[in-house]
Amino acid sequence: MAVKLEQITVPTRGIGDFVEITQQVDDVVGRSGIREGIALVRSRHTTAAITCNEPDPRLHADMRDAVHTTFPASEPYRHIEEGPDNAVAHLATAMLFGESTWVAVRHGRVDVGTWQHLYLVELYEARRREVDVAVLGE
Amino acid sequence: MAVKLEQITVPTRGIGDFVEITQQVDDVVGRSGIREGIALVRSRHTTAAITCNEPDPRLHADMRDAVHTTFPASEPYRHIEEGPDNAVAHLATAMLFGESTWVAVRHGRVDVGTWQHLYLVELYEARRREVDVAVLGE
Amino acid sequence: MAVKLEQITVPTRGIGDFVEITQQVDDVVGRSGIREGIALVRSRHTTAAITCNEPDPRLHADMRDAVHTTFPASEPYRHIEEGPDNAVAHLATAMLFGESTWVAVRHGRVDVGTWQHLYLVELYEARRREVDVAVLGE
């Protein structure tokens, strides 16, 4: 059994950006030498989430809309020193998408399912985001 | 330390079905020989979720209702090639329930808490679902 | 590689209480002797959640409000033997916050990100809550 811990950097282009990170996570798995086990993925931010989903831009648009219908920017939020968008970004990260997930590692590769891809979801503004990837196994 | 990775198959009867998988996960733990550690559970699908909750059918009905009040099928979704129900299933999996969780393993058994059971939640239609179970420990 | 599994006790003061548990989780990491790896955190309850967020009371108030606008206590819930608040607590735990997360362990400490803290979120009433903490690594 071994553990490999890495931090990957994910630049984003602005609010609502779905940045695919499957390859970057797979590269960490490759460098770990681990053939069978798990890869855990976690955004080190409270306004950028992790999700595993289909690579359909229309689905990503539905998810962006779902954030705004669930938590409208027009609500009287209290956490407003960085603007109401920032409160919404916090709520959507912690209460809708979540900031972490895990996937199986088989034959030295991440095994996410047939139509699935790992994404960092930018919920605030263009940033350089940091993501922790931990690989455990044999 | 050892790792055991298995895929279990979970047939579902249709949208809104809560299929208990506690025993199947516990069986993987038993086969692993691991006595103390963790069991991670992950749906390999984007329209079927994992949750850990009480075995009360009324609570499951409340959760089904909560999906539909949060993401009504009447909204103009863009991801509609498989019908609006499919968009809702994606949103509910990724943004409400989540597709994965973990539980402690103690004395060679999953230790989920007094009133808790592990469920796969079918959010789309009757299917044969695949769930990854990873057990790590000693 | 080693694994350390502990249960920590978290008293709460009532519905909506955010109880910081970063230090308690860090203490488990310290006792484990593990320097590099992961710490997984899971509420052993279906009406108390785990979240990782900023220590801003206004943000926590926004999150409390978000629970009640998403799942109003005035809805005709079916899981009502412990009152409608209890149904809302179940929905908010499983469908909004989630009951578990993981964080990286580096240099023998939890490494949660610059402005982040781990919280147990009480969603029902003043209770003594139990949280599973698992540390895996080297």
Side-chain angles (χ1 to χ4, degrees):
Chain A
M1 281 285 288
V3 59
K4 166 89 171 174
L5 193 59
E6 273 195 39
Q7 209 165 299
I8 60 175
T9 300
V10 183
T12 71
R13 289 166 300 180
I15 187 167
D17 195 10
F18 278 67
V19 186
E20 176 159 1
I21 58 170
T22 319
Q23 187 60 55
Q24 281 177 279
V25 174
D26 205 51
D27 289 346
V28 177
V29 172
R31 284 192 288 275
S32 75
I34 290 167
R35 303 288 301 168
E36 176 140 334
I38 58 171
L40 300 100
V41 183
R42 178 176 177 269
S43 163
R44 289 174 63 79
H45 306 275
T46 46
T47 56
I50 300 293
T51 196
C52 190
N53 232 298
E54 293 184 22
D56 175 3
R58 291 165 301 174
L59 179 62
H60 304 170
D62 285 339
M63 289 179 162
R64 277 189 286 272
D65 289 351
V67 167
H68 296 296
T69 53
T70 312
F71 301 130
S74 57
E75 288 287 304
Y77 298 109
R78 295 180 181 91
H79 178 80
I80 52 169
E81 63 274 26
E82 298 169 77
D85 277 358
N86 191 257
V88 172
H90 278 280
L91 299 179
T93 301
M95 302 176 76
L96 291 178
F97 288 105
E99 84 287 2
S100 68
T101 192
W102 76 275
V103 294
V105 171
R106 291 187 170 97
H107 312 295
R109 304 290 304 272
V110 293
D111 180 22
V112 283
T114 314
W115 292 290
Q116 298 182 42
H117 297 248
L118 286 162
Y119 293 94
L120 177 130
V121 188
E122 176 59 66
L123 289 156
Y124 187 42
E125 62 182 12
R127 287 270 180 99
R128 279 172 64 84
R129 299 298 196 172
E130 303 292 331
V131 173
D132 276 325
V133 180
V135 189
L136 291 95
E138 287 172 348
Chain B
M1 280 285 290
V3 59
K4 167 88 171 175
L5 193 59
E6 273 196 39
Q7 209 165 299
I8 60 175
T9 300
V10 183
T12 71
R13 289 165 300 180
I15 189 168
D17 195 10
F18 278 67
V19 186
E20 176 159 2
I21 58 171
T22 318
Q23 187 60 54
Q24 280 176 280
V25 175
D26 205 51
D27 290 346
V28 177
V29 172
R31 285 191 288 274
S32 76
I34 290 168
R35 302 289 300 168
E36 175 139 334
I38 58 172
L40 299 100
V41 183
R42 178 177 176 270
S43 162
R44 290 174 63 80
H45 306 275
T46 47
T47 56
I50 299 294
T51 198
C52 190
N53 232 299
E54 292 184 23
D56 174 5
R58 292 165 299 173
L59 179 61
H60 304 171
D62 285 337
M63 289 179 164
R64 278 189 287 271
D65 290 350
V67 167
H68 296 297
T69 52
T70 311
F71 301 130
S74 56
E75 288 288 304
Y77 298 108
R78 296 179 180 90
H79 178 81
I80 53 170
E81 64 274 27
E82 299 170 76
D85 277 359
N86 191 257
V88 172
H90 279 279
L91 299 180
T93 301
M95 302 176 75
L96 291 178
F97 288 105
E99 84 286 3
S100 68
T101 193
W102 77 274
V103 294
V105 170
R106 291 186 169 96
H107 312 295
R109 304 290 303 271
V110 294
D111 179 23
V112 284
T114 314
W115 293 288
Q116 298 183 41
H117 298 248
L118 286 162
Y119 293 94
L120 178 130
V121 187
E122 176 58 68
L123 289 156
Y124 187 41
E125 62 183 12
R127 288 270 179 98
R128 279 173 65 84
R129 300 297 195 172
E130 302 292 331
V131 173
D132 276 325
V133 180
V135 189
L136 290 95
E138 288 173 345
Chain C
M1 281 284 290
V3 59
K4 166 88 170 175
L5 194 59
E6 273 195 39
Q7 210 165 298
I8 60 175
T9 300
V10 183
T12 71
R13 289 166 300 180
I15 188 167
D17 195 9
F18 278 67
V19 187
E20 176 158 1
I21 58 170
T22 318
Q23 187 60 54
Q24 280 176 281
V25 175
D26 204 52
D27 289 346
V28 177
V29 172
R31 284 192 289 273
S32 76
I34 289 167
R35 303 288 300 167
E36 176 141 333
I38 58 172
L40 299 100
V41 182
R42 178 177 177 270
S43 163
R44 289 175 62 82
H45 306 275
T46 47
T47 56
I50 300 293
T51 196
C52 191
N53 232 299
E54 293 185 22
D56 174 6
R58 292 165 300 173
L59 179 62
H60 304 170
D62 285 337
M63 290 179 161
R64 278 190 286 272
D65 289 350
V67 167
H68 296 297
T69 52
T70 312
F71 301 130
S74 56
E75 289 288 304
Y77 298 108
R78 296 180 180 90
H79 178 80
I80 52 169
E81 64 274 26
E82 298 170 78
D85 276 358
N86 191 257
V88 172
H90 279 279
L91 299 180
T93 301
M95 302 177 76
L96 291 178
F97 288 105
E99 85 285 4
S100 69
T101 193
W102 77 275
V103 294
V105 171
R106 290 186 169 96
H107 312 294
R109 304 290 302 272
V110 293
D111 180 21
V112 283
T114 314
W115 292 290
Q116 297 182 42
H117 298 247
L118 286 162
Y119 293 94
L120 178 130
V121 187
E122 175 58 67
L123 289 156
Y124 187 42
E125 61 181 13
R127 288 271 179 97
R128 279 173 63 85
R129 299 298 195 172
E130 302 292 331
V131 173
D132 277 325
V133 180
V135 189
L136 290 94
E138 288 172 348

